[in-house]
Amino acid sequence: MRYETMVIPIIAFAAGVWLLQQQPVLPPLSWLGWLVPGPVLLVALRGAGRGRCLLRRGITLALALYCGFAWAALFAHVRMGDSLPSEWEGRDIAVLGVVATLPQSYERSVRFEFNVEQVLTPQARVPPRIVLSWWGAGGRDGKAALLPEVHPGERWQFTVRLKRPHGLVNPHGFDYEAWLLERDIRATGYVRPKGQRLLQKGLQTPSYMVERMRETLRGRIQTALADTPAAGVIAALVMGDQRAISPEQWQVFTRTGVNHLMSISGLHVTMLSGLAFALVNFAWRRSARLTLALPAVKAAAVAGLLVAIAYALLAGFAVPAQRTVFMLAVVAAALWLGRATAAREVLAIALLVVLVIDPWSVLAAGFWLSFGAVAIIMLVTTNRLRAEHWLVAWARVQWAVTLALVPVLLALFQQVSLISPLANALAIPLVSLVIVPLALVGVVLPFDGVLHLSQWLMSGCVFVLEWLSALPDAAWEQHAPPTWTVVAALMGTVWLLLPRGFPARWIGVIALLPMVLVVPQPPPEGALRVTVLDVGQGLSVVAQTRSHALLFDTGPGFGPTADSGNRVIVPFLRASGIRRLNAMIVSHDDADHTGGAHSVLQAVPVEGLLTSLPDLDPLLLIGPPEQRCASGQTWTWDGVLFEVLYPDVDTRVAVKLKDNERSCVLKITAAAGSVLIPADIERRGEQTLLATAKEKLHSDVLIAPHQGSRTSSSDAFVKAVAAGKVIFPVGYRNVFKHPHPDVVARYEVLGADLYRTDRHGAVLLEFVSGEIRVSRQREVRRRYWLDAPRSDVADIDFPTFW
């Protein structure tokens, strides 16, 4: 089949799939009827003639585009139909089902995917696949929690409490709800401490058997390697358990550009498949009887494909492994049938199969990195007039992949390693050709020597990578480039990588420049930009003037290695072009305000710290020079006034005072309006403010004190502030049930516009040109899978984009 008749329609199909994933709401299924006219027109236009030929090609591409759109829409309708009804959120439901995946153990809980076979609670409706956390007993006073034991393939009866998929929604942030949708997880929740009953062990279905095998391999590695430095990396390379790699090691791998190697990647799958092909081909040819029964090439092709499938299954069949397996399957089929297949057709077929099986893969970074890297390799290695020395060809591929992935990496992660060619030159052959085969052999042998050897080699590799990572400017970090600059840069890289002799290749360099030079515009002089980030149940606010930036509080921690700092705040600052913080305020000693502070201080230069933390707090030892928040502190940045209104001297030295009542209170006043950030003060603090600074309380925008708790927002305080806009920084279905209905009613009586981060995501306020402009991230980046209150969805019409 020719290039034009196969590859380009598949690309159009992929474009249709991507287009569907950009829609704010799903189109009705009646739209599928528009597929009928396409084939009819193609039949009607049969015959010779250039005009007919061009028209047929145009209709074919349009039909392929629409097929991709319709296919993805059909899948989405089916999957979205499995959502948990809102009326069953937070209620006890008895379910019977099977532990579907390898459980992940945390400090105080075990988390796993669960296939629901039967809902035992009358009238309840539960999606067929959910994620559950099962909390352990104890875990207080410094003691480790006693975690429950669950294994893949076990049938259990649980009483659970569930909620609809709901994640944090911030500019340039990770889309957790899309991630759950791709994995067909339509509810999350936890196991209640009653009604658990193990019904059956070890169900013998292929998927559960694979997961049990992964569990066995993980146990083998944990037993043999224990706490050795690279044990987590070996676990990731053998069975795809990337959670076993520490955050510090991930940071090293990211800064050196070798993070793609530290899992079961397409490269590893290809290497092992090629090794199996070579060994079987060599051995098969030694037997005349076997060769007569089946040609050696066909036998080797089957063996290589089976090895690739087996290894990819250990990784959970992620996109890079999928792409590799499907490509190898096409090559194996071509060898079996004795037909030559062009490399671009192999890649196109793999692309089609991935999208047919998983239309949401276009939302994953691995999809673009995986297919993009292979496409670039094909561009620089195929159709060459003369053969090159292998070392020259390898260097050319390294240079091409490094250059071509720069726009994608900057768009997705806002950073790219500058030393990745050097780091990959060491890591690729060592990891793929030596460490991975040794580790795989080691886990099946009855002795530990080979496994220890693979760990020792990996430790040496990590040591060198750590040294490279510590070099000055090892990685380039910048703002999130605008979409048009990324497209221009991709075109520029392709232009640069065209064969030698192609005229004016230097033009490609010019196309790369906008991606770096077009920077986010700061607010003008005297203006203010305030972003109330969606960090769940907690507070984090970024205030930006023309040449200064301030961070007020750092949100909660999410676990031992994840917090608001590394998951939300630092990515937002980097993508927004904020390279340093002129000040950081940690309002008081409360976990939902200090949880991300350490991560922020590690990642972003901070010039000064204002706080009400206790004197011996560890944060004060690692942070910049600090000052205590005190009423009367003022400063001006770029024509914008910053004032600390609270605590006063008496409050600072008071004994037996709640931490909430020591909170720093900040007011920011720009030409277009003012915002008051009172952190977690309660009624005592509000009374003090009314007595000492009542004339300064009036503000246009108020971040509701203590997330709208009933112990805050007294009538007198609400009336004194008289804010026209009130923001509640609260978590979805939080256990405190913030904001309290009585508090909400007080603000509604005054006619204030109310915003909630659990419903609207991050809230962005622009104080400029005499007005306050408000943007809500769940509306700015509306997608059909994002959970939202029904009142927010009812008035959204499906757009006409043709």
Side-chain angles (χ1 to χ4, degrees):
M1 188 175 289
R2 293 181 303 168
Y3 172 69
E4 292 82 356
T5 59
M6 180 179 191
V7 177
I8 295 180
I10 290 177
I11 294 175
F13 181 91
V17 172
W18 176 87
L19 183 62
L20 186 277
Q21 310 304 349
Q22 311 310 307
Q23 301 308 311
V25 292
L26 283 175
L29 287 176
S30 59
W31 279 40
L32 296 177
W34 287 98
L35 289 172
V36 177
V40 174
L41 285 174
L42 288 178
V43 173
L45 291 171
R46 286 184 304 175
R50 183 174 179 81
R52 285 175 174 263
C53 181
L54 292 175
L55 195 55
R56 281 200 306 270
R57 289 186 180 182
I59 294 174
T60 299
L61 292 181
L63 185 61
L65 177 78
Y66 196 82
C67 282
F69 186 90
W71 181 257
L74 181 61
F75 264 56
H77 272 285
V78 173
R79 192 158 292 184
M80 294 295 292
D82 287 331
S83 297
L84 177 74
S86 57
E87 61 268 21
W88 283 100
E89 288 187 291
R91 297 172 60 180
D92 284 357
I93 305 174
V95 296
L96 185 149
V98 181
V99 177
T101 58
L102 180 66
Q104 297 292 335
S105 298
Y106 297 91
E107 186 177 4
R108 296 185 57 196
S109 66
V110 176
R111 185 177 173 90
F112 52 91
E113 295 180 19
F114 190 71
N115 286 339
V116 178
E117 296 178 323
Q118 185 178 356
V119 180
L120 304 177
T121 300
Q123 309 302 320
R125 185 161 66 88
V126 176
R129 193 172 182 91
I130 60 179
V131 165
L132 294 174
S133 294
W134 193 350
W135 295 88
R140 300 185 183 277
D141 301 325
K143 297 180 181 179
L146 182 62
L147 299 180
E149 283 194 23
V150 287
H151 304 281
E154 291 181 340
R155 179 174 281 122
W156 283 82
Q157 179 178 323
F158 290 134
T159 299
V160 299
R161 283 191 179 177
L162 303 173
K163 64 180 181 180
R164 295 163 62 87
H166 194 98
L168 308 178
V169 179
N170 293 284
H172 315 290
F174 174 69
D175 193 336
Y176 178 64
E177 293 175 44
W179 185 85
L180 289 175
L181 180 67
E182 182 185 1
R183 284 152 182 78
D184 197 15
I185 298 168
R186 304 305 304 138
T188 63
Y190 61 94
V191 177
R192 296 278 286 156
K194 62 178 182 180
Q196 310 106 343
R197 191 155 59 100
L198 176 61
L199 302 177
Q200 185 178 353
K201 291 185 177 181
L203 295 180
Q204 300 301 315
T205 62
S207 61
Y208 299 147
M209 292 172 66
V210 168
E211 291 300 320
R212 284 200 298 274
M213 181 186 301
R214 297 181 72 211
E215 184 181 45
T216 301
L217 293 178
R218 183 176 68 177
R220 171 82 172 91
I221 292 169
Q222 290 174 343
T223 301
L225 302 182
D227 296 327
T228 51
V233 182
I234 296 300
L237 293 174
V238 170
M239 35 75 66
D241 186 11
Q242 297 186 32
R243 296 175 186 267
I245 301 178
S246 69
E248 294 77 15
Q249 287 178 330
W250 269 124
Q251 186 175 7
V252 169
F253 299 151
T254 300
R255 283 181 59 83
T256 54
V258 302
N259 47 326
H260 64 100
L261 290 174
M262 303 308 160
S263 60
I264 300 182
S265 68
L267 178 61
H268 302 332
V269 175
T270 303
M271 291 289 189
L272 282 178
S273 177
L275 180 61
F277 179 92
L279 291 176
V280 171
N281 188 41
F282 176 81
W284 202 273
R285 290 178 182 275
R286 296 299 178 271
S287 170
R289 184 176 179 181
L290 291 176
T291 306
L292 290 172
L294 183 68
V297 171
K298 293 186 177 182
V302 172
L305 180 60
L306 291 176
V307 168
I309 292 172
Y311 190 40
L313 287 174
L314 292 178
F317 220 49
V319 169
Q322 286 180 30
R323 183 260 306 159
T324 304
V325 168
F326 297 145
M327 290 180 65
L328 292 173
V330 174
V331 173
L335 291 173
W336 185 273
L337 298 173
R339 296 181 57 184
T341 304
R344 58 176 175 261
E345 293 179 358
V346 173
L347 183 62
I349 293 173
L351 173 66
L352 178 63
V353 175
V354 167
L355 292 177
V356 167
I357 294 176
D358 181 10
W360 293 279
S361 60
V362 295
L363 301 174
F367 174 88
W368 300 99
L369 295 173
S370 177
F371 280 99
V374 175
I376 289 299
I377 291 172
M378 291 180 178
L379 175 66
V380 299
T381 57
T382 58
N383 298 323
R384 298 286 167 174
L385 294 178
R386 59 186 179 86
E388 295 178 320
H389 188 275
W390 69 268
L391 187 59
V392 174
W394 180 81
R396 182 193 297 277
V397 168
Q398 283 294 306
W399 155 250
V401 171
T402 300
L403 177 64
L405 292 184
V406 165
V408 182
L409 291 171
L410 288 179
L412 295 173
F413 309 113
Q414 292 82 60
Q415 68 175 16
V416 63
S417 174
L418 299 179
I419 57 172
S420 63
L422 180 60
N424 277 286
L426 164 72
I428 287 177
L430 181 60
V431 173
S432 297
L433 297 178
V434 180
I435 294 174
V436 169
L438 283 176
L440 289 171
V441 171
V443 294
V444 298
L445 293 177
F447 51 88
D448 298 338
V450 176
L451 202 54
H452 278 288
L453 175 60
S454 67
Q455 191 279 144
W456 181 81
L457 291 172
M458 192 68 241
S459 296
C461 181
V462 170
F463 177 80
V464 176
L465 293 174
E466 288 175 344
W467 180 82
L468 290 173
S469 174
L471 293 174
D473 301 319
W476 169 265
E477 297 181 356
Q478 67 157 63
H479 59 276
T483 302
W484 71 267
T485 67
V486 177
V487 175
L490 289 172
M491 296 174 64
T493 55
V494 172
W495 194 273
L496 279 170
L497 295 173
L498 290 172
R500 186 180 303 174
F502 199 89
R505 287 194 300 164
W506 57 269
I507 294 177
V509 177
I510 299 176
L512 292 171
L513 295 179
M515 184 175 55
V516 178
L517 298 179
V518 178
V519 299
Q521 291 301 308
E525 186 74 17
L528 172 68
R529 179 179 298 150
V530 174
T531 305
V532 182
L533 294 171
D534 181 9
V535 293
Q537 184 67 13
L539 178 65
S540 185
V541 181
V542 177
Q544 186 181 7
T545 64
R546 181 167 180 80
S547 56
H548 296 80
L550 175 144
L551 174 65
F552 190 103
D553 281 342
T554 60
F558 305 135
T561 61
D563 55 57
S564 300
N566 53 33
R567 292 295 176 89
V568 177
I569 300 170
V570 171
F572 171 78
L573 294 175
R574 181 186 298 140
S576 301
I578 300 175
R579 307 293 292 270
R580 66 173 51 245
L581 292 169
N582 302 97
M584 184 167 86
I585 297 178
V586 181
S587 64
H588 65 295
D589 188 18
D590 207 341
D592 59 346
H593 294 251
T594 65
H598 188 268
S599 295
V600 173
L601 291 172
Q602 281 188 319
V604 182
V606 179
E607 295 178 4
L609 179 65
L610 270 174
T611 183
S612 290
L613 292 173
D615 291 337
L616 299 180
D617 192 283
L619 195 64
L620 302 180
L621 302 178
I622 65 171
E626 86 280 353
Q627 284 185 290
R628 295 302 176 186
C629 290
S631 57
Q633 293 170 328
T634 64
W635 65 93
T636 301
W637 287 340
D638 309 311
V640 178
L641 176 65
F642 293 76
E643 301 175 89
V644 177
L645 304 184
Y646 180 89
D648 56 15
V649 176
D650 294 336
T651 302
R652 288 174 56 195
V653 299
V655 181
K656 295 183 179 180
L657 188 67
K658 293 173 64 175
D659 283 328
N660 285 349
E661 298 288 22
R662 302 183 193 274
S663 297
C664 305
V665 175
L666 179 70
K667 182 178 181 180
I668 312 174
T669 305
S674 57
V675 56
L676 182 65
I677 313 175
D680 273 359
I681 62 168
E682 300 185 17
R683 298 202 177 195
R684 184 189 184 282
E686 293 176 357
Q687 291 169 0
T688 302
L689 279 170
L690 289 168
T692 60
K694 185 174 182 179
E695 71 284 356
K696 293 185 177 181
L697 287 181
H698 174 70
S699 301
D700 298 288
V701 178
L702 171 67
I703 314 297
H706 202 189
Q707 290 90 41
S709 164
R710 67 183 303 174
T711 59
S712 301
S713 297
S714 60
D715 283 328
F717 180 81
V718 170
K719 291 176 181 178
V721 177
K725 304 179 190 302
V726 180
I727 302 171
F728 296 99
V730 292
Y732 181 68
R733 298 190 60 83
N734 63 87
V735 296
F736 308 104
K737 298 184 179 180
H738 293 162
H740 194 276
D742 293 344
V743 171
V744 173
R746 289 180 200 136
Y747 291 111
E748 288 178 334
V749 166
L750 295 180
D753 296 327
L754 305 185
Y755 306 91
R756 297 173 48 154
T757 55
D758 61 337
R759 294 182 179 177
H760 302 120
V763 180
L764 174 65
L765 303 115
E766 295 273 2
F767 296 76
V768 65
S769 302
E771 62 177 339
I772 304 174
R773 305 168 187 166
V774 182
S775 300
R776 296 170 286 189
Q777 189 61 24
R778 278 190 180 264
E779 296 177 2
V780 171
R781 194 189 177 278
R782 188 80 180 97
R783 294 294 184 269
Y784 67 84
W785 59 80
L786 285 179
D787 194 42
R790 294 195 178 277
S791 59
D792 290 352
V793 178
D795 54 5
I796 297 178
D797 294 325
F798 189 79
T800 55
F801 51 82
W802 295 119

